[in-house]
Amino acid sequence: MSDGFTALYIFMLAAIAGHVIISRVPVILHTPLMSGSNFIHGIVLIGAMVVLGQAQTTLEQVLGFIAVVLGAGNAAGGYVVTERMLDMFKSSKKPEAKA
Amino acid sequence: MSDGFTALYIFMLAAIAGHVIISRVPVILHTPLMSGSNFIHGIVLIGAMVVLGQAQTTLEQVLGFIAVVLGAGNAAGGYVVTERMLDMFKSSKKPEAKA
Amino acid sequence: MAVRIGVGRETAVGERRVALTPETCGKLVKAGAQIAVAPGLGASAGFIDQAYVDAGATLTDTPFADAGMVLCVQAPSPDAIATLKPGAVLVGMLQPEADPVRASALQDRGIVAFPLEKLPRTTRAQAMDILSSQASMAGYKAVLIAAQLTPRFFPMLTTAAGTIRPSKVLIIGAGVAGLQAIATAKRLGAQVEGFDVRPETREQIESLGGRFLDLGVSAAGEGGYARQLTDEERAEQQRRLAEHLRNVDVIVCTAAVPGRPAPKIITAAMVDGMKPGSVIVDLAAETGGNCELTQPGRTIEHHGVVIDGPLNLASMGATHASEMFARNVFNFASLMIKDGALAMDWNDELLAKTVWPPRPQSTGETP
Amino acid sequence: MAVRIGVGRETAVGERRVALTPETCGKLVKAGAQIAVAPGLGASAGFIDQAYVDAGATLTDTPFADAGMVLCVQAPSPDAIATLKPGAVLVGMLQPEADPVRASALQDRGIVAFPLEKLPRTTRAQAMDILSSQASMAGYKAVLIAAQLTPRFFPMLTTAAGTIRPSKVLIIGAGVAGLQAIATAKRLGAQVEGFDVRPETREQIESLGGRFLDLGVSAAGEGGYARQLTDEERAEQQRRLAEHLRNVDVIVCTAAVPGRPAPKIITAAMVDGMKPGSVIVDLAAETGGNCELTQPGRTIEHHGVVIDGPLNLASMGATHASEMFARNVFNFASLMIKDGALAMDWNDELLAKTVWPPRPQSTGETP
Amino acid sequence: MIGLNLQTLVALSYFVAATLFLLGLQRMSSPKTARSGIQWAGIGMVLATIATFALPGLHNIALILVAVIIGVAPTWLWGKKVAITDMPQMVALFNGMGGGSAAAIGAVELFKASSGGERPSDFALALAAIGSLIGAVSLTGSIIAWAKLDGRMDKRYTFPGQQWFNAAIALVAIVCGAMAVHTLAVPWIVAFFVLALGLGKLMTLPIGGADMPVVISLYNAFTGLAVAFEGYVLGNPALIIAGTMVGAAGMLLTRLMAKAMNRSIKNVLFSNFGGGGSGGQEISGAQKPIEAADAAALMAYAERVVIVPGYGMAVAQAQHKIWELAQKLIARGVKVKFAIHPVAGRMPGHMNVLLAEAGVPYDLIADMDDINPEFANTDVVLVIGANDVVNPVAKTDPSSPIYGMPILDAVNAKNVVVIKRGKGTGFAGIENALFYADNTRMLYGDGAEMANALVSEVKALDGGH
Amino acid sequence: MIGLNLQTLVALSYFVAATLFLLGLQRMSSPKTARSGIQWAGIGMVLATIATFALPGLHNIALILVAVIIGVAPTWLWGKKVAITDMPQMVALFNGMGGGSAAAIGAVELFKASSGGERPSDFALALAAIGSLIGAVSLTGSIIAWAKLDGRMDKRYTFPGQQWFNAAIALVAIVCGAMAVHTLAVPWIVAFFVLALGLGKLMTLPIGGADMPVVISLYNAFTGLAVAFEGYVLGNPALIIAGTMVGAAGMLLTRLMAKAMNRSIKNVLFSNFGGGGSGGQEISGAQKPIEAADAAALMAYAERVVIVPGYGMAVAQAQHKIWELAQKLIARGVKVKFAIHPVAGRMPGHMNVLLAEAGVPYDLIADMDDINPEFANTDVVLVIGANDVVNPVAKTDPSSPIYGMPILDAVNAKNVVVIKRGKGTGFAGIENALFYADNTRMLYGDGAEMANALVSEVKALDGGH
Ligand SMILES: NC(=O)c1ccc[n+]([C@@H]2O[C@H](COP(=O)([O-])OP(=O)(O)OC[C@H]3O[C@@H](n4cnc5c(N)ncnc54)[C@H](OP(=O)(O)O)[C@@H]3O)[C@@H](O)[C@H]2O)c1
Ligand SMILES: NC(=O)c1ccc[n+]([C@@H]2O[C@H](COP(=O)([O-])OP(=O)(O)OC[C@H]3O[C@@H](n4cnc5c(N)ncnc54)[C@H](OP(=O)(O)O)[C@@H]3O)[C@@H](O)[C@H]2O)c1
Ligand SMILES: NC(=O)c1ccc[n+]([C@@H]2O[C@H](COP(=O)([O-])OP(=O)(O)OC[C@H]3O[C@@H](n4cnc5c(N)ncnc54)[C@H](O)[C@@H]3O)[C@@H](O)[C@H]2O)c1
Ligand SMILES: NC(=O)c1ccc[n+]([C@@H]2O[C@H](COP(=O)([O-])OP(=O)(O)OC[C@H]3O[C@@H](n4cnc5c(N)ncnc54)[C@H](O)[C@@H]3O)[C@@H](O)[C@H]2O)c1
C-alpha cells in the first residue's frame, strides 16, 4: 500500500463517515450531538499523555502537563454533560404507541 | 502509525461508511443500490489489470486475462444497468411541489 | 312480442314520487319495451313530460290500457286496478295485505303482483331493494326535520355572544334509515349517539363517527343474535334510558321490526323527564311510532317537548327518492324482460319469493 | 340605588325569543340589579320560570312597573310603552323608525331607547352585536329549510340504486348569514357556491370550502370598495347569472344593504329558466327579498320552482338565538350599570351612537 | 511530502476514485441524487482504470487492452438493450463476473507463490484464499441465480440431507484452502477452486425464484468482500475500500431486502433445512403479504392508482389518512381516483359520507360503471377494508351468496394492494378470490395505521419529510 | 501476522476505541439510541486511556496520573451539578480545553524540534503548527463564548474595521507559524502562539449571544481538526479518526444549526463585516423567525400545548393538518387543547365549522374564558393564522381600534409559535405586539404547508416515520 496515502485514506474515510452520520439528524439532537462529538475529541488526552510521557525538558513537561489536564477535562466534562443531555430521551414516552 | 493496523482501520472505516450510507435507504432504491454497488466492486478490474500486467507464466496470463475480462464485464455491465434503472428517477416529477 | 309498460300518476295522498324516471324509461325502451305514461306523471318529482317523451315514452291518459306490466310507487286504487289488463304484472310498494279491498281487487283481476317490500334482502337483491333506498331518504329528511324543529343549533359555535354547545342527538334504531340519520346529524355537527338492540350495530354506528349508547344491559345472546330480555333487565334498561334522555336535545326514532308494529321504546314518562324545547321525530310513525305519544302524521307538543310523527318522509325528497325507486323497479322489471318481451323465470328466487299471492310451488319456501 | 330591570313577554306575532335568559339574569343580579320578569317569559324558548327565580329574578305580571331598564327582543307595543316609567331605558331590536306610532310612544314617554340594530359595528361592539348573532341563526335555519324543501339529497350518495349527484347550492350574499349558510350547506355535503359584490368575500367563502361564483364582471373599485357597475356590465352580469342558475338546485339569498331594501338580484325570468324542483329560500324577505318573486312570509311555487320567503328565521332557533341575544343585551346593559345602579357614560361611543332619538351633542357624529 | 512522480499520480487517482465511490454510493442512497451517484462512481472507475495503465512495470499491455474490450463491449451492449424486467438477472451475472475476477486474482497469487515467486506473508495468502473462495462461490452462485431468474432453469433441485451435504462440501473446501495456503501444492489449489466453484452452485440450486433478489444481493456483498481481500493482497487501497464498502453495504441491503419480503436471510438460504420454517408460503394461491414501504413505492411510482374503500375503512375511521395519502400521490403526479361500490359499507352512501368528511372532492369519486373499464389500465388498486364488493366470486361462482352482484373489477389491475386486519371475511362471510390472485398483495393491519404507514413511506420517498 | 506483544495490544485498543467512537456517534444521531451512543464512546475513551499507560517507554507516569486527576475531578463534578440550562456554555468550555490540549501538544512538538530532538518531516511539523493554530483559536474563542453565554460578559465588542484588523492578525499568525516551522526559532514559536490565542479571542468578541451555539459548534469542529492534525504528528490513528470524524461531523452540524436559525455561518462569523447583512435582526422587539423543526421539537417535548386557530387557518384550509399535528402530539403524551376566540375568523363559529370538519372532538375545544387562566401553565401556544384575537394591544392601547376586545392571553405562555405567511395584518389592520414578544417565534409560511412541516418534524422525532 503506497504509504504516504494511508493517512489521507483514513482522513477521507473518517470525514465521510462523520459527514454521513450527521447528515440526517433531527434538530432536537443538534446540541447533544455537538456535546457528544466534543467528548469524542477528548481522545486528545491520549496524545497528551504520550507527549507528557516522553517529555524531557521542563518546558515540555509543563506544556505536556497542561495538555493532559486540558484533555482530561475535555473528556470527563464532555462525557458527563452529554450523558445528562441525553437523559431527556430516556423519559420520552414510547412514541410507537400511536404514531 | 502502527503499520499492521492500517488495513484494519481502512476496513473498519469503509465498512462503517458503507453501512451508515445504506442504513436509511427507501425500499424503492434497494434494487438500484444493489446494482450500483455491484458496479463499484467492478474496481476489481484494476487489480486484475495489475495481475495480468505482471503475469509471467502462461497460466498466470490465462487466469489474469480471465480476471480482466470478467472484471471489465462487471464494471461495464454494472454501470449500464444501474444507469438505466436510475433513469426512472429522472422522469419523476418534482416531489417538493406540494409534498 | 314487445311488452307494453304503463305508468299512471300516483293517487295516494301526499305521494310525490314516481316509479319511472326519464332515465329508467330510456333504459326500458332500450330493452325493447313500449312505455306509456300519463301526462304530468313526474311533475311532483321534478320530471317534465317532455323528458319522458324524449326518452321514448308515449303520453296517454290511459296508460294502463293493454299494459302487460304496470309500475307504481304505491298501489293504484282498487278502481284503477280493475282497469288493468287481466293477468298483467304490477310492480311497486303494493302492501296487498294492508287493505283487503286492494287485495281482492288484485286477485279478482288475476294480477301478477310484485310487492317490492317483500323482496328477499339478499345481496343480489340490493339493487332492487326499495326499503333500503327509501329508508335512506327518510333517515336523511327526518334529521333535517328534527334540526328544523329544535330551537337550537346542532353544531357547536364559539361566538362573540358566547359559546353554543352542540346539540345532543340520539338516533334510536340503526338500520338503514337510522345510520343515514346518524351520518346526517353528525354532518351537521351534533353530538350523535345511536342505539339499537342488534350488537353489530355498535361497530356500524362507530364507523360513522357516532357513539353507541350502551344501556349496560347486553341483549347479545348465543350466535350473535339478540335474545329476549328478562323483565328485570328490560326495566333496568328503561330506567337508564329515561335517565339518559334528560340530557338529550333531539331524538330521531327509526326502530322497526319487519312485519310488526314498531316497538314502543320511549314512554310518556320518559318524555315528561325531557327538557322543554327537546324534539322527537318519530320516523317509525307509519307503523305506530317508537314513542308512546307519537301521533302519526301530526306534530304535537307535550310539556314543551315537540313530537313529530311524519309519514312518507321519502316522498319529501321526491326527485332523488324517485330516481332510486325507479332504478330499483327497473332492476326488478329487468328480471322479467327478455328481448323486450315478458318472460318469467320462476326459478329466480327473487321473483318466486316476491310474487303475490304466493305461488303454490314456492309457498313452502316463503312462510 | 340598585337599578330595577323588567322583562315582559314578547308580544310580536311568531316571536319566540326572549331578551333575558336565566344565565344573563343571574349575571345581572350579580352585577347588583333587581330583576322582574313576567311569568312564562321564556317558555317559548325553552326556559322555565323556575330557572329565572333560581337565578334571582322575581316573577310579576307587571314587570315594567318601576323598572329603570326594560329589555326586549322586539319593541313592546305602544300601549305597553306607555306603561313604562318615564325616562326608563329600553334596550332591544326596537326599529323606532319602522313604526311612527311606536316612535312617538317612545318619545312621549321620554324613553331612553337603545335600538341595538343601530349599534356601531366596531370590534369592541361585537359582543353586543345582535345583527351578527341573529344572522348566524338565520343563515343556519335558512339552509335547513332549503334542504327540507328541495326534493333532493344535498350530499352525494353512491347506492345500490344508483349514484345520487350532490345538490348545487348557491348562496347569494356572503355576510354573516351568508357565510353561516355556506358552512351549513357544505356540512350537509352540497356543492356550495357563494356570491357577493364585496371582493374580500371571495377569500372568506373559500375559507369555508365554498367556491366563489365569479360572474366575470369585477366590481372591485379603488381602495378595495365595490364600485357602481355600468348598465352594460350589470346586464352582462345578469345574463351570466341567469345562465348559471339553470344548473343550480338550491339558492339561499342573504344579500342586504344596511338601511335599504334588499337588492333584487334574481329576476322572474331567471326563475323561469331554473329546473323544476329547484328551491329558493330568500332570507332577505324581511327587507323585500333578493328575488323578484319572493312573497315575504309565504312559500310559493313558480313553474315548479319553490320560493320561500321566511320571516324571523332566528326565532325558529329560539333557545340558542335567545342565549346569544340575551348575552348581547347583557353586554350592552353592562355598559350602563355601575355598582348595580344605572350610570350613563355618554362619552362611550357605543351608547352615544346607539341611543334614540340621537342625543344633540352626538347628532353631528351620527348622520 | 509526496513527490509528484508517476507512481504517486496513480496512487492519487486511486484515492480520488475511492472517494468518488463512497460519495457516489451515498448519492445513490437518495432518490433525488441517485442518478448523479452512479455517474460519480463511473468517473472514479474510468479514472482508476486509465491510471492503472500508467503504472510502471506493467507488461502485457496489449493483452490487457484486448481483455478489457472483450469484457466491456458485449456487456455494455447487452446491458443497454436488455428489457427493464430482465435487469435483476443481469445484475446477478455481472456480479458473478466480479466474483470470478476476484477468484482469478486469488488463483494467480496462489499459483505465483506456488511457483516460487516472491512469497507474500501467510496472512496475505490466507486472505487471497478466502477472497478466492468467496469470489468463486459468488461466481457460480450468481450464474445459477441468473439462470433461474432468466427462466432457463426453474425447478428447485432439492434432495434429502442437501443442507448437510452442502455443509460438508464447504468444510472440505475450507480444508483444501488451508492446505493450499500451507503447502502451496498445485493439486490442493486446484481442488480448492473446484470445490469452491461447486459450492456456489450447490448452495443456490435449492433456492426458489422468489427469493432470488435476496440471494443476488448476498452474492453482491460476497463479491465486495472478495475484492477487498484481493485488494489487501495486491496492496491496493482502492480495492480494499470499494470492496469493503460494498461488502458492508451489501450485507445490510440484503438484510433490508429480506425484511421487506418478510423473510430472514437464514430462511432464504436454508429454507428447506429441517423441512419446517415458512416454506409453506410459496404454495400457489396463498395470500401474499407486502410491507407498507413496498406498497407505498408501488403507488408512488405508478401512473394510475384507484382507491377502493369499504366498510373496514369506516370501522378504522381511516378516511382522513387515505385522503392524505391520495393527496401525496397526486402531488407526485400520480392520477388517483376513488371507486365507490354501490353497496360498500353498511348503508347507502356510507363511503360518501366518510370521503366527504375527509374533504375528498367529488370529481375524484368514480362510480362502479365508470371505473370498471379503467381497471385494466390501472397500475395499482388500493383496497382498504373492502371485501365483498371486490370479490370476483360474485361473477364466477353461482353457488356463492353474492353471485350476481356487480363488483368492482379490481382484479383486472396490474397490482392490487389490500389493507385489512387479518383473515376476516366481509358481510357475506365468504372467502375472497381477489386476495389470492397473483397480482394481489396483502397489507395486514388496522386501516388507519396502515394508511398512516403508507403516507409516511411515500413521504420518505420524497426524501425524508 | 500481528504478534500479540504489548505494543500491539495498545494499538488494538486504539483501534477498538476508534471503532467505538464511530459507532457511538452513529447511535447518538438517532433519538432512540442516543443514550447508548455516548456510553459506547465512553467505553472507547476509557479503554484507550488505560491502554496508553501500558505503552512502552512512557515516563512521568506519576505526573500523568496527577494531571489526569486534576483534569477529570473538577470537570466531572461540575458537569454533574450544572443546571440544564447552563450546559451549552459548559460544552464551550470543555471544547476549549480540548483545543488547548491539542495546541499544547503542537507546542511541545515544535519546541522539541527546536531544541534539536528527532526532527519530524516538514509536513508533519507544518501539520503540528496548523493544529496548534486551530486548537489555540478554539481555546480562547471557546472561553469567550463561555463567558458570554454564562452572562459574565455581555456586550458585543465592536469597532470600525474590526474584521480587517482580525484578518490582519490571522495573516500575521500564519506568517509567524510558517517562520516557526521553517526556522524553529523560539521567538517565532512564542509569537505564533500568542497571536493564535489572541486571534480566537478577537474573532469571538464581536459575535452576539444568540449566535453562540453556532460558534461553539464551529470551534468544536476546529478542535476535532486540531486533534486530527496532532494525531498525524504523533502517528496515532485513534486521534486522526476521532478528530477527523468530529471535524467533519462538526462542520456539517454547524451548518445545520446555522440553517435552523436562519443564518449562514459566514453571517454569524462576520455579521458586522461591511456593516450590512441581517444584523438588524438583533434589535430588541423584532419578529424572530423559527424553523419548523425547532417549533416541532418545542411542542413535542412540551407538557401542555394550546393551539389558537384564526382566519388564516381557514384561508389555508389547514384544519386537517393541524388536527393531525395535535393527534401526533397527543400520542406523544402532550396535553393539547384548542382555544377558540369568540370572533376568530369571519363569521360566528367559523373555527368550529373547520375543526368539526377535521374531526376535532368537542372536549378538546376550550372557550376563551376557560383557557385564559391556563396560558401561564402552557409550554407552547401555537397560533395559526390568528392575529387580532391574540393581540395584547387590545388591553394596553386605548387608541387601538380593537381596544376593549377581550383576547386570548397567548402572550402569557412560556413559548409562542405563530404561523403566518408574512407581515400581513389581521382584520383590524394593526400591528400585533405578540409577534414581537420575547417568547414568540414566527414560523413564516402558508398555514397548511407549515402545519404539514410540523407534522413531518414531529414524526421525525419519533425516529423516521
Ligand atoms: N351499503 C349498504 O347499504 C349495505 C347494507 C347492508 C349490508 N351491506 C353489505 O356489506 C358489504 C359491504 O362490502 P365492503 O367491501 O364494503 O365490506 P365487507 O365486505 O364487509 O368487508 C369489510 C372488510 O374490512 C376489513 N376491516 C374491518 N375493520 C377493519 C379495520 N379497522 N381496518 C382494516 N380493515 C378492516 C374486514 O377484514 P378484517 O376483519 O380482516 O380486517 C372485512 O373483510 C356487502 O356485502 C354489502 O352487501 C351493504
Ligand atoms: N368572527 C366573526 O364573526 C367576525 C366577523 C367579522 C370580522 N371579524 C374580525 O376578524 C378578526 C378575526 O381575527 P383572527 O385572529 O381570526 O384573524 P385575523 O386577525 O384576520 O388574522 C388572520 C391572519 O392570518 C394570516 N393568514 C392569512 N392567510 C393565511 C394562510 N394561508 N396561512 C397562514 N396564515 C395566513 C394573516 O397574516 P399573513 O397575511 O401574514 O399570513 C393574518 O394576520 C377579528 O378582528 C374580528 O373582529 C370577526
Ligand atoms: N342483504 C343486504 O345486503 C341488506 C340489504 C339491506 C339491509 N340489510 C340489513 O338489514 C338491516 C335492517 O335494515 P332496515 O333498516 O330495513 O331495518 P328496520 O327498518 O326493519 O329496523 C330498523 C332498526 O331498528 C332496530 N330495532 C328493532 N327493535 C328495536 C328496539 N326495541 N330497540 C332498538 N332498536 C330496535 C333494528 O335492529 C334495526 O336496526 C340493516 O342493518 C342492514 O344491515 C342488508
Ligand atoms: N366589526 C366587526 O368585527 C364586524 C361585526 C359584524 C359584521 N362585520 C362585517 O360586516 C359584514 C356585513 O355583515 P352583515 O351580514 O350584517 O351584512 P348584510 O346583512 O348587510 O349583507 C349581507 C351581504 O350581502 C352582500 N350584498 C349586498 N348587495 C349585494 C348584491 N347586489 N349582490 C350580492 N351581494 C350583495 C353584502 O356585501 C353582504 O356581504 C360582514 O361580512 C362582516 O365582515 C364586522
Side-chain angles (χ1 to χ4, degrees), chain C residues 3 5 28 31-33 69 332-343:
Chain C
V3 60
I5 301 179
L28 284 170
M69 183 187 278
F332 188 79
S334 301
L335 298 177
M336 296 182 274
I337 300 178
K338 300 262 142 16
D339 303 327
L342 217 52

Side-chain angles (χ1 to χ4, degrees), chain B residues 62-77:
Chain B
V62 169
L63 282 174
F65 191 82
I66 293 176
V68 173
V69 170
L70 291 179
N74 182 177

Side-chain angles (χ1 to χ4, degrees), chain E residues 286-287 387 420-426 431 435-436 442 444:
Chain E
Q287 294 191 9
N387 191 336
K420 65 200 297 279
R421 294 165 308 183
K423 313 264 175 186
T425 56
E431 279 285 4
F435 302 164
Y436 297 88
M442 308 298 293
Y444 292 118

Side-chain angles (χ1 to χ4, degrees), chain D residues 65-88:
Chain D
D66 255 3
M69 183 187 276
V70 169
L71 310 179
C72 60
V73 177
Q74 295 197 38
S77 66
D79 294 349
I81 291 173
T83 69
L84 296 187
K85 193 168 94 173

Side-chain angles (χ1 to χ4, degrees), chain D residues 28 31 38 61 67 79-80 213 222 234 301 329 339 360:
Chain D
L28 284 169
D61 281 326
D79 294 349
L213 173 59
E222 272 163 54
R234 188 177 305 276
E301 204 178 310
V329 166
D339 304 325

Side-chain angles (χ1 to χ4, degrees), chain D residues 47-364:
Chain D
F47 305 109
I48 58 175
D49 286 347
Q50 189 56 41
Y52 287 101
V53 174
D54 291 347
T58 49
L59 292 181
T60 157
D61 281 326
T62 54
F64 295 163
D66 255 3
M69 183 187 276
V70 169
L71 310 179
C72 60
V73 177
Q74 295 197 38
S77 66
D79 294 349
I81 291 173
T83 69
L84 296 187
K85 193 168 94 173
V89 170
L90 180 62
V91 180
M93 203 161 57
L94 305 177
Q95 306 197 295
E97 274 117 354
D99 180 354
V101 185
R102 187 187 308 157
S104 60
L106 289 171
Q107 281 175 311
D108 291 351
R109 202 72 183 167
I111 303 296
V112 184
F114 289 100
L116 279 185
E117 71 276 10
K118 281 187 168 328
L119 188 81
R121 297 183 95 169
T122 65
T123 298
R124 191 163 68 94
Q126 282 173 314
M128 313 154 198
D129 183 359
I130 55 166
L131 291 183
S132 282
S133 69
Q134 304 306 298
S136 287
M137 181 58 86
Y140 169 76
K141 288 285 183 184
V143 169
L144 289 180
I145 291 180
Q148 192 60 299
L149 286 178
T150 181
R152 307 173 156 268
F153 279 112
F154 266 22
M156 176 181 183
L157 290 188
T158 310
T159 78
T163 296
I164 302 295
R165 306 305 316 176
S167 289
K168 292 212 169 76
V169 175
L170 171 66
I171 313 288
I172 295 182
V176 175
L179 290 176
Q180 194 63 252
I182 289 171
T184 308
K186 184 87 197 151
R187 278 186 139 138
L188 278 170
Q191 281 189 299
V192 185
E193 294 172 322
F195 171 62
D196 198 307
V197 285
R198 289 182 299 133
E200 67 265 36
T201 55
R202 173 191 283 268
E203 193 188 57
Q204 297 175 4
I205 290 165
E206 285 167 359
S207 84
L208 285 162
R211 223 172 62 81
F212 181 76
L213 173 59
D214 199 335
L215 291 177
V217 180
S218 165
E222 272 163 54
Y225 287 97
R227 68 175 167 83
Q228 201 68 20
L229 293 182
T230 66
D231 284 351
E232 234 168 79
E233 284 173 331
R234 188 177 305 276
E236 173 67 7
Q237 198 178 36
Q238 296 235 335
R239 203 189 53 70
R240 294 200 191 188
L241 183 59
E243 192 53 40
H244 188 79
L245 293 186
R246 286 179 196 281
N247 284 313
V248 164
D249 299 309
V250 171
I251 304 176
V252 175
C253 304
T254 76
V257 182
R260 282 206 274 152
K264 288 276 175 282
I265 297 169
I266 302 179
T267 62
M270 290 181 191
V271 176
D272 286 340
M274 291 176 70
K275 286 181 299 194
S278 301
V279 169
I280 300 175
V281 174
D282 196 342
L283 184 141
E286 252 159 302
T287 50
N290 292 147
C291 173
E292 277 183 3
L293 299 169
T294 298
Q295 298 187 14
R298 291 191 50 200
T299 307
I300 62 158
E301 204 178 310
H302 176 87
H303 293 332
V305 177
V306 174
I307 303 170
D308 187 33
L311 296 177
N312 202 356
L313 270 171
S315 183
M316 292 187 61
T319 305
H320 280 157
S322 299
E323 279 181 13
M324 294 191 292
F325 194 100
R327 287 189 199 127
N328 291 146
V329 166
F330 165 76
N331 288 332
F332 188 80
S334 301
L335 297 177
M336 295 181 277
I337 301 179
K338 300 264 142 18
D339 304 325
L342 218 51
M344 303 285 185
D345 171 9
W346 291 113
N347 289 325
D348 187 332
E349 67 154 5
L350 295 185
L351 296 183
K353 288 196 178 165
T354 309
V355 70
W356 187 92
R359 284 166 55 83
Q361 57 268 57
S362 63
T363 329

Side-chain angles (χ1 to χ4, degrees), chain F residues 226-300:
Chain F
V227 170
F229 289 165
E230 302 307 336
Y232 181 83
V233 178
L234 295 175
N236 187 323
L239 260 66
I240 300 184
I241 290 177
T244 311
M245 182 181 78
V246 169
M251 288 312 289
L252 181 56
L253 200 55
T254 309
R255 237 172 52 211
L256 292 176
M257 287 171 78
K259 206 180 124 218
M261 294 177 64
N262 232 354
R263 313 274 272 134
S264 76
I265 298 184
K266 208 182 110 204
N267 232 314
V268 169
L269 287 181
F270 310 117
S271 56
N272 57 351
F273 192 69
S278 55
Q281 275 191 325
E282 290 296 329
I283 59 155
S284 113
Q287 295 191 8
K288 293 163 286 297
I290 190 172
E291 288 284 306
D294 292 312
L298 212 54
M299 291 189 280

